[in-house]
Amino acid sequence: LYKITYSPITERIDSSTLTLNEEDSGQSFLLPIRGEGVEAHLAVNTSGIDFGDVTLKQTKYYDTLRVSNIGGYPLVIESLHHDVTNFDTATKGAFFIPPDSAVNYIVSFTPQRAIKYFDTLRITADAPEKSASVSNSVTLCFNGLMATGENRETFGMEGN
């Protein structure tokens, strides 16, 4: 009984040939072996959400925030974090996204005062991204516009 171990260090297909030599007969057997290194890859369908006009103390929902795993290995979403309580996500805690799958998030905004609101939603996952310019966190920025009768404030959107 023999054990063959494969430990890929990159996302690629590796192949080789294993040669088995039988001592008694002197015969050689060639066995092709193949392994594929796969990883999870985090993707988000937008870099910013603009909620537009929202009446004070009313909730507006944005339901097309799509978080995807475009890789071939399960992706563990370790955390979703934001600081401003007027913005909210329906999902809390860690969970996973299967390979080549996506999860839709509902994000909401409920302004309490007629001020500018800006926050960043940080989605942290275990995706080992390869580019130095892409970290394991995806940052999503969202804005709100408050309408209070005659007094309206607007502001621009920023995205990472």
Side-chain angles (χ1 to χ4, degrees):
L1 178 66
Y2 294 96
K3 180 180 178 181
I4 299 173
T5 303
Y6 174 65
S7 300
I9 57 172
T10 61
E11 190 173 35
R12 69 176 192 196
I13 295 173
D14 295 304
S15 61
S16 189
T17 303
L18 176 66
T19 304
L20 297 175
N21 296 315
E22 188 176 66
E23 287 184 20
D24 293 340
S25 68
Q27 286 186 310
S28 293
F29 300 93
L30 300 177
L31 301 174
I33 55 176
R34 180 185 179 280
E36 184 173 352
V38 295
E39 296 176 325
H41 292 283
L42 176 63
V44 178
N45 69 336
T46 186
S47 62
I49 296 173
D50 188 346
F51 283 91
D53 291 333
V54 180
T55 303
L56 291 178
K57 300 185 181 181
Q58 298 295 311
T59 301
K60 186 170 184 180
Y61 295 94
Y62 182 87
D63 60 357
T64 57
L65 175 61
R66 190 167 180 82
V67 179
S68 303
N69 175 7
I70 57 173
Y73 192 79
L75 174 69
V76 176
I77 302 294
E78 297 168 346
S79 69
L80 283 94
H81 178 76
H82 61 91
D83 298 319
V84 178
T85 59
N86 301 85
F87 296 104
D88 195 21
T89 61
T91 305
K92 308 284 189 233
F95 62 95
F96 82 98
I97 301 174
D100 300 313
S101 299
V103 172
N104 288 326
Y105 283 96
I106 297 173
V107 181
S108 65
F109 171 56
T110 310
Q112 299 299 312
R113 298 177 12 211
I115 61 171
K116 293 180 182 179
Y117 289 87
F118 179 81
D119 199 1
T120 301
L121 176 64
R122 290 172 295 283
I123 302 169
T124 305
D126 67 347
E129 301 302 340
K130 298 188 183 341
S131 171
S133 64
V134 179
S135 69
N136 287 347
S137 292
V138 170
T139 301
L140 176 72
C141 300
F142 34 79
N143 301 308
L145 167 71
M146 292 62 60
T148 57
E150 300 285 319
N151 181 14
R152 291 174 77 132
E153 295 184 59
T154 60
F155 52 98
M157 203 165 99
E158 297 179 28
N160 291 1

